[in-house]
Amino acid sequence: MSFFKNIFSGSENQDNAASKMNWNELTAVEQLNEIITLSNEKPVAIFKHSTRCSVSRMALKQFENEFDFSDKVTPYFLDLIAYRDVSNEIMNRFGVQHQSPQLILIKEGKAIYSATHSDIDAGVLKTKV
């Protein structure tokens, strides 16, 4: 998890050090089949993050600080700069227009909720699962 720690830890303020999130890394198109299967038993949230965007970083940090229901939803993290092909396939398979940052909720193999930018809110997501 040092990868996530390096990306997300602040350089000036270390009191928010490591993320409390237990992210599943989404790095291959083939994983989308697993996500679809998993979503039949438990909803899956995909957070699409641009490592080059400060707005994306702020949305991610806020989401991580608020997310406290991994028992109800399985969180996946996509670095869309490194894995743009996966991001494109998410758009194709789930019919959700690409945005960054973006949170997509998959339930029973379908995208049932999507939020972008400042609309990404763990509290709202919790009401959708």
Side-chain angles (χ1 to χ4, degrees):
M1 284 296 160
S2 63
F3 165 75
F4 291 114
K5 191 184 251 184
N6 290 337
I7 289 177
F8 307 126
S9 60
S11 58
E12 294 177 25
N13 187 358
Q14 293 301 322
D15 62 343
N16 59 355
S19 167
K20 66 179 179 175
M21 292 290 297
N22 188 19
W23 290 109
N24 295 288
E25 291 184 62
L26 180 51
T27 60
V29 170
E30 296 77 26
Q31 286 178 277
L32 296 176
N33 293 330
E34 297 168 22
I35 287 172
I36 290 169
T37 300
L38 286 171
S39 75
N40 288 312
E41 297 175 25
K42 182 178 172 182
V44 173
I46 300 173
F47 194 105
K48 292 170 56 179
H49 174 62
S50 170
T51 56
R52 297 179 189 158
C53 176
S54 61
V55 172
S56 188
R57 183 175 180 163
M58 287 175 24
L60 177 63
K61 283 194 165 284
Q62 181 176 333
F63 181 78
E64 288 181 320
N65 287 334
E66 296 174 352
F67 185 87
D68 64 354
F69 49 100
S70 59
D71 58 323
K72 293 184 172 39
V73 64
T74 303
Y76 276 78
F77 176 88
L78 173 64
D79 174 347
L80 63 91
I81 302 296
Y83 303 103
R84 184 59 190 226
D85 60 328
V86 178
S87 180
N88 290 338
E89 188 60 24
I90 288 170
M91 184 175 62
N92 292 336
R93 287 198 194 190
F94 299 111
V96 178
Q97 184 67 35
H98 167 75
Q99 295 284 325
S100 170
Q102 185 172 40
L103 180 68
I104 302 168
L105 182 64
I106 311 298
K107 193 171 185 180
E108 296 176 1
K110 295 181 172 68
I112 63 161
Y113 172 74
S114 174
T116 66
H117 299 83
S118 61
D119 290 334
I120 295 173
D121 185 318
V124 173
L125 179 66
K126 195 173 192 176
T127 68
K128 306 291 182 186
V129 298

